[in-house]
Amino acid sequence: MLSPPIPNNESQRLKALEEANILYSPTEEEFDNITQLASFICQTPISLISLVGEHEQWFKSKYGTDMCTSERDISFCSHAILEPEQLMEIEDTRLDNRFLDNPFVLADTDPIIYYAGMPLKNFDNMVLGTLCVIDTKPNKLNQEQKKALKSLAKQVEILLELKRKNDYLENIKKQLNEHNAMLKDFAGVVSHDMKMPLANMIITADILKAKFGNKLGEEGLDYLKNLKQAGLKLSSYINGILDHYESDNIAASNNEEFDVHQLLEEIIDLLNITEDCVINLPEDNTIISSNRAALEQIFLNLLGNSLKYNDKDKIVIDIEFSQNPDFYYFSIQDNGIGIPKEKEDDIFKLFTTVAKSDRSGNKGNGIGLSTVKRLVGNLGGNLKVNSEIGEGTRFDFSIRRKA
């Protein structure tokens, strides 16, 4: 018996095998289907997906045997990987100097008399192991069987690469989730810690105006006004950040039954509208079962935008509702300033604003619509916008109905 020589690129090969993250992994149906198919096509009782490690070979998938591993020095696959582009076929191992006294060949039960193995390579052309078929008697594959075995080996390579990429993406996803969690905690802590000082600043500005307004003069009063407006703007910004990061928790809250008209009427009261405004509710009042807290947040943002970004003397907002067995559908149409077509995708990005200022001359913070999109997505629905400059904007969104 001749022990297989070590490949010249062994260190790089072993590193590639480690990075593939496949050694000693659980069985997977996709790989088992290939070994079963290889045995069927090649008419052999045994088929293996073998990965050649530093000291042993391990079988990712096996058909026709209970063996899981063997020493590398006596493995057939350790010889096969020496010729990465070639199918190694041994019609009778008892006649080959490399294997004639191999323990597997001399075994009393189920000896390995026939072997055919096709090397498996990774994306970087490093050989990881083989797809092999084994028989307990002399055998020989015809050309069609050889071609099929090579094709199946290529499918194993594709599966290995898909697994490597999927593991990489899962790792990136895990890191992003950890970073997002840290940012969320940071934003929450900072925002909560800033709310009280801001509230004190706004109240102090009002107190100074009330007590010393007649002594400050017009310029001093302007300073106080600017101070209060800056505090209110920053407070709104902080509340927006908190709402955005709380949207996942809101979307996870339980469903409850409520009627659509009552929900909308309560939201309209919360908005405390002072402008000349008509809001037309859906024609039919309907009892629905959904996430009320999430819908409140969605409508507060969308209706608030319809009010703020409107330059008409009379604001008109139409709300529509419909449903089917799978979804609830809502739409909000206003007669506001509209959104440029090229900006319609940008408005849902966090901290992105399109309009220079709202009806009161204030600039938005670019958080509300990002929060709406996040909420709608968490509720299993879709959100889209259709707008015309100077004519108005229509938002359509859906919410998946739960059984």
Side-chain angles (χ1 to χ4, degrees), residues 45 81 158 161 166 185 199 230 259 274 282 288 305 332 337 366 387 392 398:
I81 65 172
I158 292 172
E161 178 62 6
N166 186 62
D185 292 341
D259 69 70
T274 58
I288 66 173
N305 282 349
I332 298 177
I337 62 175
S387 185
S398 58

Side-chain angles (χ1 to χ4, degrees), residues 245-303:
Y245 282 112
E246 285 297 320
S247 61
D248 291 342
N249 294 333
I250 294 173
S253 58
N254 293 328
N255 280 12
E256 56 183 292
E257 285 195 349
F258 55 92
D259 69 70
V260 175
H261 276 197
Q262 182 180 0
L263 170 73
L264 293 172
E265 286 167 356
E266 290 178 2
I267 291 171
I268 292 169
D269 287 341
L270 284 173
L271 291 170
N272 192 25
I273 302 171
T274 58
E275 292 87 353
D276 184 4
C277 176
V278 174
I279 299 179
N280 298 310
L281 301 185
E283 184 175 346
D284 297 321
N285 189 18
T286 310
I287 303 294
I288 66 173
S289 176
S290 187
N291 187 323
R292 182 185 176 110
L295 273 177
E296 284 177 352
Q297 190 67 48
I298 292 169
F299 275 111
L300 276 170
N301 276 294
L302 293 180
L303 287 173

Side-chain angles (χ1 to χ4, degrees), residues 48 76-77 80-81 83 86-90 114-120 129-133 141 149 153:
L48 306 166
F76 290 74
C77 297
I81 65 172
E83 297 290 340
Q86 301 296 321
L87 172 67
M88 187 178 89
E89 183 180 34
I90 306 162
Y114 173 80
Y115 173 91
M118 185 64 198
L120 302 172
T130 70
L131 170 64
C132 63
V133 292
L141 300 183
L149 188 61

Side-chain angles (χ1 to χ4, degrees), residues 158-174:
I158 292 172
L159 286 176
L160 291 173
E161 178 62 6
L162 287 174
K163 186 178 188 307
R164 185 189 71 85
K165 289 182 176 179
N166 186 62
D167 289 344
Y168 172 77
L169 292 174
E170 285 295 324
N171 186 48
I172 294 296
K173 180 182 177 182
K174 181 181 177 181

